[in-house]
Amino acid sequence: MSTVLLEHPVDSVEPPAPARRPRRAVLWTLPPVLLVLLVAGYPILRVLTESTVTSNGRGTEVWSSVLGSESFRNALWRTVSIAFASTAGCLVLGAFLAIVLAFVPFPGSAVVGRLIDTVLTLPSFLVTLAFTFLYGTAGAVNALIAELTGRDTPLLNFLNTPLGVIAAEITFFTPFVVRPLLAAFARLPREQLDVAASLGASPWRVLRQVVLPEAWPAMAAGGSLVLLLTLNEFGIVLFTGAKGVLTLPALIYTRGIVTFDLPGAAVLASVQVALSLTLYAAYRFVFARVTARKGQ
């Protein structure tokens, strides 16, 4: 027995495999973390650094000037109000379309679903061009109204207003709500619907008490995505409401590219990033609470 112990001293025993796993996990995790910090962290740090540049060196004068301006307050309010109004419209229209496509079969429903998926691949400015051709002052709808009524002035003139931006954003971003809802409805057991209907529940009651509770997480995910996208939307605002709508992204473009006020644009960009991250954190918190409550 003593011979065996001398041939295998304690110091020469290799550590067990589980002890080496944390080191391997760190080695595998470190490269993607560094890549994310480089790709996402450096631009944000660079913008924050640029926002402190003043004529006398560095300070908070630019922040005080920008945040205290009326143009910033108007742009912030317009950005938030348009984003929430567009998100609400997308949720209502998206829920209606998803329910019809999932539970009301009709000829051509598969084609409609494919068309909705196709919208996800298109750039946003195509929607604004289509709106201009249809509802612009010289568009097809105004031309038809003028031909029928003999009007000399266009009846529809809303594209350069917040209403035009909201309508275009609802048209473009609604598929981002439809697709998660269709996936949620596809996982809903049909037997559950049949049992509810056999017990005498009306279609509206089945929809309210069976279908919609299962769809809340999908609606929350789609609505949160739409809210973040509309909050940072620039193309639709530029093409549709360029003359009368100034949101934070448009104001950042104006101060950074048109007037070449880089510190002022950096302040606005920092506010935009903080607003987006706050909304994303709120979404994650609400989604985690809803998921935990549903699992109980």
Side-chain angles (χ1 to χ4, degrees), residues 188-200:
L188 186 65
R190 297 292 173 172
E191 296 81 5
Q192 189 175 357
L193 302 178
D194 296 338
V195 169
S198 65
L199 294 176

Side-chain angles (χ1 to χ4, degrees), residues 113-126:
R114 296 293 181 271
L115 291 177
I116 291 176
D117 292 340
T118 304
V119 175
L120 298 174
T121 65
L122 299 177
S124 60
F125 71 85
L126 288 181

Side-chain angles (χ1 to χ4, degrees), residues 29-56:
T29 307
L30 192 59
V33 170
L34 293 177
L35 181 61
V36 169
L37 291 177
L38 179 63
V39 174
Y42 174 75
I44 296 176
L45 181 61
R46 187 71 178 86
V47 168
L48 290 174
T49 303
E50 185 67 28
S51 66
T52 61
V53 175
T54 64
S55 58
N56 299 323

